[in-house]
Structures are given as C-alpha cells and as structure tokens.
Amino acid sequence: MSNSQIDLRRIAEQIDVVLTEIYAEYVAKGSPTKLGGLRFLDVESAKTFAFEKSRAHEEGTVIVVSAPYSENKEAIEAKLNEGPHADKIRDIQVRTSPDAGKRNKYFFEAAYFINIKDWLTDEAISKVVLRYECTGNQAVTRLLKENVLPIAREVMQYFIKIVREDEKKPEVVGFS
C-alpha cells in the first residue's frame, strides 16, 4: 500500500476500532457505558465523554472527542489550545444536546488531525510485517495503535480534567 493508495475513510474506520482500547480502559476503571458509540460516564464529574466517529481529512484523519461543558466557546478554545496536542486541533464546535430534555446542555467537540501519511508508509508497514510476521492489515492496525492511542489517551485525559475543574463549585464559607 503506497501513500497514494491509502483509503483515508477506511483508516478512519480502523482508528475507531483502535479507540475501543481506550474506551475499555475507562470501562475497566468503573465508568459505566452509555448508548451510542464510544461513550462513557465519568463517575467523578457525572458527565458523559465520547470518541465521536473519526473521519478522513485532507492528508490524514481526524479523531473527534466530545464532552459536556458550561463555559463559552472562547473559554473552551483557550483551554484546549493550552492542552496536549493543541497543534493538531483543526476544529472546535460547541453544540446543544440533540436530546429534547437537554436543550440547555452544551457539548464541545474538538477534532484533532492525525497525519497518518507521515508514518503509515510502505517502508513502515513492511518493517512491521517482517518484525511481527503479520499481514499488511495487521501491521496497519499495529501502527495505528502505536501512533494514535497515545494522542487520543492524552486528549481524553485532558478533557476529563478540564470538565472536572469546571464542575468544582466554590465552597461557601460559614456553612457546615
């Protein structure tokens, strides 16, 4: 598979499969799952986080992380631009919930560009095939895990951290 033959849509679909590994880590820690894709409830903040569908984008793919948030878009962007892999952010959207009962709830989605063509080369795939005695498809999956999971893991941890910070309410002095 040469770089010109990479089907970015199929790679995005495979990235979604690879992201289930991170999702499983949160579930194993006791985060209940939610319906509709790679969604889980962070018990501490009582908020739902998700990896949305990855998609082809220019010369690579984007992974999309979503989380609830109450601040304005500018505050969200500022925090994300201070976070891990900020240089990979291609788009930040703030939207309301599609659920009728949650119209006053806001979610942000951040799309992080993954330039897979830089490391998903014929040479890299061939090396993995030889080293692990696997097929080309298995080599691609291994390369996706090695390159995408660390980025996605750091981004999700940061999203959870900033939402938890937002949920902390100031203590009222004088009341017990």
Side-chain angles (χ1 to χ4, degrees):
M1 170 188 337
S2 69
N3 276 346
S4 61
Q5 295 175 336
I6 292 176
D7 182 341
L8 296 175
R9 183 189 55 77
R10 289 193 62 204
I11 295 297
E13 290 170 357
Q14 187 60 30
I15 287 172
D16 289 341
V17 172
V18 168
L19 291 174
T20 62
E21 193 169 305
I22 296 172
Y23 174 74
E25 291 169 8
Y26 284 99
V27 173
K29 291 178 187 174
S31 297
T33 60
K34 302 289 274 186
L35 294 176
L38 300 178
R39 300 184 189 298
F40 62 90
L41 179 70
D42 173 55
V43 176
E44 185 175 323
S45 66
K47 301 294 181 188
T48 300
F49 294 83
F51 286 110
E52 302 296 340
K53 295 275 185 204
S54 300
R55 59 184 183 264
H57 180 75
E58 297 170 1
E59 293 298 308
T61 57
V62 291
I63 57 172
V64 181
V65 180
S66 70
Y69 212 73
S70 61
E71 290 188 39
N72 63 37
K73 186 175 185 204
E74 292 76 22
I76 294 167
E77 286 182 19
K79 286 184 179 187
L80 292 177
N81 286 323
E82 295 169 0
H85 306 287
D87 60 317
K88 293 176 176 26
I89 295 174
R90 291 298 180 269
D91 187 36
I92 299 172
Q93 297 290 322
V94 177
R95 62 174 173 79
T96 58
S97 174
D99 297 343
K102 297 181 180 179
R103 291 278 182 225
N104 62 338
K105 302 286 184 189
Y106 292 91
F107 294 83
F108 66 93
E109 294 179 350
Y112 288 80
F113 178 71
I114 309 295
N115 191 354
I116 59 160
K117 289 189 175 187
D118 280 353
W119 44 263
L120 201 57
T121 64
D122 291 340
E123 182 181 347
I125 293 168
S126 294
K127 284 181 182 179
V128 171
V129 166
L130 290 172
R131 181 172 182 194
Y132 296 100
E133 299 178 1
C134 62
T135 67
N137 285 340
Q138 291 168 328
V140 168
T141 299
R142 182 177 286 275
L143 288 166
L144 291 175
K145 285 183 176 186
E146 290 173 1
N147 291 282
V148 174
L149 287 180
I151 294 167
R153 188 173 282 114
E154 288 178 49
V155 166
M156 183 58 79
Q157 288 170 349
Y158 184 69
F159 274 37
I160 292 170
K161 176 183 173 244
I162 63 176
V163 168
R164 284 179 179 173
E165 287 172 355
D166 181 55
E167 290 302 307
K168 291 181 180 169
K169 308 294 183 220
E171 292 183 24
V172 178
V173 179
F175 292 95
S176 9

